[in-house]
Amino acid sequence: MKKIVLAVMAVALFSTNALNAQEDNQTNDFKKWQVRLRGVAVAPDEDASVGIIGGNAEISTSFIPEVDFTYFFTKNIAAELILGTTKHDVNTTGSDISAIGGPTKADVDLGSVYLLPPTLTLQYHFYAGDYFKPYVGAGINYTIFYGVDEGDVVKDVEYDNALGYAFQLGFDLKLNDKFFINADVKKLFLSTDVTVDGSNLAPGLKIPAEVDINPWLVGFGVGMKF
């Protein structure tokens, strides 16, 4: 009986050591931090409800550099914070400005605005091989509107800062133990209340609007583990 117990203990010890060695081999290149530098296209998928003059909103696509930082809690679970700012031209489309002597369908220039949308996502990373690592994520963003240039038509434009949600899909392609290529797509669900001051066009004219920006962020770049 004693020999059997000793044999079982020996097998268990050998199995434990083998499993630990296997796990060590699988996590040799596991680093808790990653930083990426990406070029990102920010393409709004806008829709708006514009008061008084009606119509819709049009927001330009922007191309920016973006930096993000990722921290791994485990081999599979990580949190990512993206940092970048974008500038967008804004105008209404199909608005009725006949009350101030304009056409019934007009595009009204609302100048430009900068968006700062720091976004935090929780990710799950899959290991599909030695080099290819896809991931999915979801989280929140808080968008700050600043640097408003109202253009030459209206007196002023005000945007309310807003909390939104984010979903993402991407992958890392390993180059070596330190560097990798990254491709990433995010969808932000973001709405803001806008107030256009048109008092220079008609006394007391204030045009409210509810604008869904809902941009797609499509990025490609390089990253480093550390």
Side-chain angles (χ1 to χ4, degrees):
M1 185 67 180
K2 183 182 293 185
K3 290 181 179 180
I4 294 175
V5 171
L6 291 174
V8 170
M9 291 177 63
V11 170
L13 181 62
F14 176 80
S15 299
T16 300
N17 289 336
L19 287 173
N20 288 337
Q22 183 178 8
E23 289 179 0
D24 289 341
N25 289 334
Q26 289 176 346
T27 58
N28 277 339
D29 64 344
F30 172 63
K31 304 289 193 300
K32 286 193 172 184
W33 286 97
Q34 292 183 359
V35 61
R36 300 182 184 92
L37 175 63
R38 290 188 282 228
V40 177
V42 182
D45 184 16
E46 67 273 41
D47 189 32
S49 174
V50 182
I52 303 176
I53 63 173
N56 209 328
E58 186 175 67
I59 305 172
S60 66
T61 296
S62 182
F63 298 89
I64 61 163
E66 173 252 278
V67 176
D68 73 77
F69 299 90
T70 303
Y71 179 80
F72 282 80
F73 301 100
T74 70
K75 181 181 176 183
N76 299 100
I77 299 174
E80 178 192 87
L81 176 66
I82 70 166
L83 300 172
T85 187
T86 62
K87 180 182 180 182
H88 299 271
D89 297 324
V90 185
N91 59 269
T92 72
T93 60
S95 297
D96 182 356
I97 56 174
S98 58
I100 55 174
T104 56
K105 287 188 178 296
D107 297 347
V108 180
D109 181 19
L110 299 180
S112 63
V113 62
Y114 284 88
L115 276 65
L116 177 64
T119 302
L120 180 65
T121 60
L122 185 65
Q123 302 172 331
Y124 188 88
H125 291 251
F126 304 88
Y127 286 78
D130 292 335
Y131 294 93
F132 183 62
K133 185 174 65 173
Y135 58 86
V136 295
I140 58 174
N141 80 90
Y142 185 76
T143 299
I144 300 168
F145 297 84
Y146 71 99
V148 177
D149 180 352
E150 66 279 352
D152 298 327
V153 178
V154 300
K155 185 176 180 180
D156 192 20
V157 184
E158 295 181 358
Y159 300 83
D160 289 348
N161 297 339
L163 181 69
Y165 303 95
F167 296 93
Q168 74 178 142
L169 177 67
F171 67 85
D172 295 328
L173 187 63
K174 179 179 175 181
L175 297 176
N176 53 43
D177 288 342
K178 191 170 186 178
F179 295 99
F180 57 92
I181 294 172
N182 173 260
D184 184 275
V185 178
K186 292 183 181 69
K187 176 68 170 180
L188 304 187
F189 292 90
L190 170 65
S191 299
T192 182
D193 291 329
V194 181
T195 303
V196 178
D197 183 351
S199 59
N200 60 315
L201 303 175
L205 178 61
K206 298 282 188 178
I207 304 170
E210 296 178 2
V211 182
D212 297 328
I213 302 175
N214 298 341
W216 288 94
L217 280 66
V218 181
F220 184 80
V222 295
M224 181 180 70
K225 305 174 186 179
F226 60 97

